[in-house]
Amino acid sequence: MAQVADGVLIVGASRGTGLEVARLLAARGEAVTAFVRPTADMAALLQIRVKLYKGDVLDPQSVAGAFASGNFRAVIDTVGGRRGEPRPDYHGTRNLVDAARQAGVPRFIFVTAIGCGDSRGAVGPKVIEFLGAVLDEKTLGENYLMASGLDYTILRPGGMTHDPASGTAIRTEDRLAMGVINRADLARLVVDCLDDPLSIGKVYAAIDPAIQRQAPLQRGEDLPGGRVQ
């Protein structure tokens, strides 16, 4: 008898949104595998019940190995990059999409950013100045996923904070929506989409209407020290 596909593969789970999603899913008893780079800080992941698979999302063989390491019903892609490192937003996502199709994993949730694709008009000039190239890479990843035939959902957060969850964040199909969201709330929206078949084929902005302030770039301010997110 074939095994039931019940695991969830989270890519980019060593920090940020991916880590928060791993915590939520592990807490409710999901079989979670975190696909992380060998050089990543895994201290936080070691505190929760997840399986680790070490590899590089930019290496197709490594990605195929991650999918072969479990019996997955879904993949959650939260990949990002640091300044000075190769960006995985498009090429890494392309590898994940190809591997998901090959492995027969139908469900794919991709976390990108407001400013990608048809939401470009929602962000200010300073966002484009600092993050335009990153948004372009993420848009390519979105387009590749949408053309893949997989059961996709794309979540585009606005500016993000590490504050505790507020419980007031929303997902909206308004392409001009812009705002701030706590990573813990974004993680809850990701899990909500995983549970909601009506979210398949949808692209959402993820914001918290209760947070009135705008992100620094949206206000037209430079990031401290010329930092690039």
Side-chain angles (χ1 to χ4, degrees), residues 164-210:
S166 69
T168 52
I170 62 169
R171 47 184 162 112
T172 173
E173 294 183 71
D174 180 358
R175 296 297 186 257
L176 294 180
M178 181 58 182
V180 175
I181 187 170
N182 303 319
R183 292 182 188 276
D185 288 302
L186 175 58
R188 171 56 64 188
L189 294 181
V190 170
V191 174
D192 288 346
C193 287
L194 181 64
D195 295 338
D196 180 9
L198 294 180
S199 71
I200 292 172
K202 300 288 189 178
V203 180
Y204 298 107
I207 59 173
D208 189 339

Side-chain angles (χ1 to χ4, degrees), residues 50-130:
V50 300
K51 177 182 175 182
L52 298 179
Y53 186 90
K54 300 175 186 178
D56 185 350
V57 75
L58 292 173
D59 174 21
Q61 289 188 328
S62 181
V63 174
F67 277 87
S69 71
N71 200 23
F72 302 110
R73 65 184 178 94
V75 57
I76 297 172
D77 178 2
T78 67
V79 293
R82 296 179 186 273
R83 189 174 185 178
E85 297 179 347
R87 295 292 311 190
D89 308 271
Y90 170 51
H91 293 288
T93 295
R94 186 180 66 182
N95 290 339
L96 291 168
V97 168
D98 290 346
R101 293 177 64 187
Q102 183 65 32
V105 178
R107 190 75 170 98
F108 198 113
I109 297 177
F110 187 21
V111 178
T112 60
I114 294 177
C116 293
D118 56 5
S119 68
R120 195 79 160 196
V123 298
K126 188 65 70 172
V127 177
I128 303 302
E129 177 187 338
F130 273 77

Side-chain angles (χ1 to χ4, degrees), residues 132-154:
V134 174
L135 295 174
D136 288 343
E137 288 290 303
K138 290 182 183 294
T139 296
L140 289 173
E142 288 186 353
N143 292 341
Y144 195 82
L145 173 60
M146 288 189 283
S148 69
L150 296 175
D151 293 339
Y152 71 85
T153 304
I154 294 170

Side-chain angles (χ1 to χ4, degrees), residues 23-43:
R23 285 174 172 149
L24 289 174
L25 292 180
R28 70 181 197 180
E30 296 266 8
V32 175
T33 296
F35 182 22
V36 295
R37 292 185 299 176
T39 56
D41 182 357
M42 303 174 206

